[in-house]
Amino acid sequence: MANWTTTSAMAVALGLSVLESGCGDSSKDGGPTGIGPPPGLAACSAGPFLTVPLVAASSIQVVAPLGNLNPPGHTFPTDHIYLYMAVFPVAISAPGNLVITDVLVQHRTGGGQADLDDYAVTFFPCSDVMMQLAHVARLATQLSAKVGDLSGGCGSSYQLAGFTYQQCRKSVNVAMSTGEVMGTTAATLDVLARDRRITIAYVNASRLSDSVGAFGDKHVACPIDYFEASIADPLRAKLGIGSALRTTPPVCGDVAQDVPNTAAGRWFRIGSPTYPEEPHLALVHDNFNPALGVFSVGSSIPSLSARTYTFTPAATGRVNLDFRYVTTIGETECYVVSANQRVLLQLTSTTRLRIQGIGPGTCGDPSTWILGAGAVEFER
């Protein structure tokens, strides 16, 4: 299931109002278990097959491409797009004939703010593609009646970003017709697609979630691609930040940026499970502007706060070297990521690296680039 994460930073950059200042992580266990297509559902067609927009394009201000970064909750590139609404709430429509298989309600309390519930809805428009909507503000009355009580199937509560979350999930089998109202949006709507006909590669496949089998981490797809052109094209025209559109292929973004035998991609704190993502590290490119390199830092590096650090990557040398070109074992690279922070990075093997923040300054003499006791080691 898609990770739910803070939307406020992005919204502030866009001048949006935000109903919630923090959201939970609905994939703490790697996703809903046992998700599969309902029996008898037809195979998906080769081309686009969704004929109705989820929400009116005029109500969307920006579409965030796949691969968004918002550590620590989203330390790794996200597996879903975000629709940032220009107006809300607006109705969410079924984009085709579909079957809903899973509904989750997330209760948020504490943090000095009002309690908040929002919903995630998982559905299949055909047997090969699973889609999911998260941050649904309300379920439509008719759908809510069919789903029934959501007070059972609750997991343990957990803490994230000053809030307490608890999630309650229910497996269902609810058919909906094209255009039927499913619910309403909040300030954002997360949209995820998994296609079992698609397989993407990571360096360490054993790190991927197997809990959803053919609809797991290796099968992330761009939801826009399943809509007919009259719906998809206006959405693609909003991929970016304001007038700064993403034009680098794939324009819908990129989740898997692992490059074997280099520093590029996902790295895991030694001894920590894959989920949740908070302890980990991603060395990737920005999803809005892929020309920028990004350190997406979770909660495990004392010398670096949990946040993103960007830089303009170089193709040669040892200063701000693109992660894809960091290949020499034992060689230390230096990055200037802000006026107040430099980062040292060193591959110690093809599957391990060390990293440390060393404060303000220029990189200067490489003989001074020494990783000290505060360096932290990660593995593939």
Side-chain angles (χ1 to χ4, degrees), residues 5-9 18-23 108 110-111 113 116 161 163 165:
T5 190
T6 288
T7 59
S8 54
V18 181
L19 292 180
E20 69 274 20
S21 68
C23 312
R108 191 201 72 189
Q113 296 195 29
L116 178 71
F163 294 95
Y165 293 94

Side-chain angles (χ1 to χ4, degrees), residues 4-80:
W4 293 0
T5 190
T6 288
T7 59
S8 54
M10 177 67 178
V12 168
L14 297 168
L16 298 174
S17 299
V18 181
L19 292 180
E20 69 274 20
S21 68
C23 312
D25 176 357
S26 61
S27 66
K28 288 178 72 63
D29 61 354
T33 58
I35 285 293
L41 203 61
C44 298
S45 62
F49 48 79
L50 299 178
T51 59
V52 169
L54 286 164
V55 297
S58 60
S59 67
I60 301 170
Q61 182 172 347
V62 165
V63 180
L66 294 170
N68 196 56
L69 299 164
N70 195 359
H74 276 315
T75 300
F76 297 145
T78 56
D79 58 359
H80 53 276

Side-chain angles (χ1 to χ4, degrees), residues 130-185:
M130 179 188 81
M131 302 187 75
Q132 184 184 89
L133 309 178
H135 295 310
V136 175
R138 297 286 185 272
L139 297 181
T141 301
Q142 186 175 1
L143 174 57
S144 183
K146 292 178 179 179
V147 169
D149 181 40
L150 285 172
S151 62
C154 299
S156 301
S157 61
Y158 64 95
Q159 307 293 316
L160 182 66
F163 294 95
T164 299
Y165 293 94
Q166 186 180 42
Q167 296 166 353
C168 303
R169 171 179 287 141
K170 185 176 185 179
S171 294
V172 298
N173 191 315
V174 177
M176 301 201 76
S177 300
T178 302
E180 189 174 353
V181 176
M182 302 174 72
T184 56
T185 69

Side-chain angles (χ1 to χ4, degrees), residues 297-323:
V297 176
S299 58
S300 295
I301 306 175
S303 55
L304 293 169
S305 300
R307 47 164 286 198
T308 58
Y309 300 82
T310 61
F311 64 96
T312 300
T316 60
R318 294 172 60 190
V319 176
N320 289 356
L321 184 62
D322 192 304
F323 301 129

Side-chain angles (χ1 to χ4, degrees), residues 103 115 198 268 276 283 290 295 356 364:
V103 177
D115 295 351
I198 294 171
F268 301 88
L283 306 180
F295 290 86
Q356 184 175 16

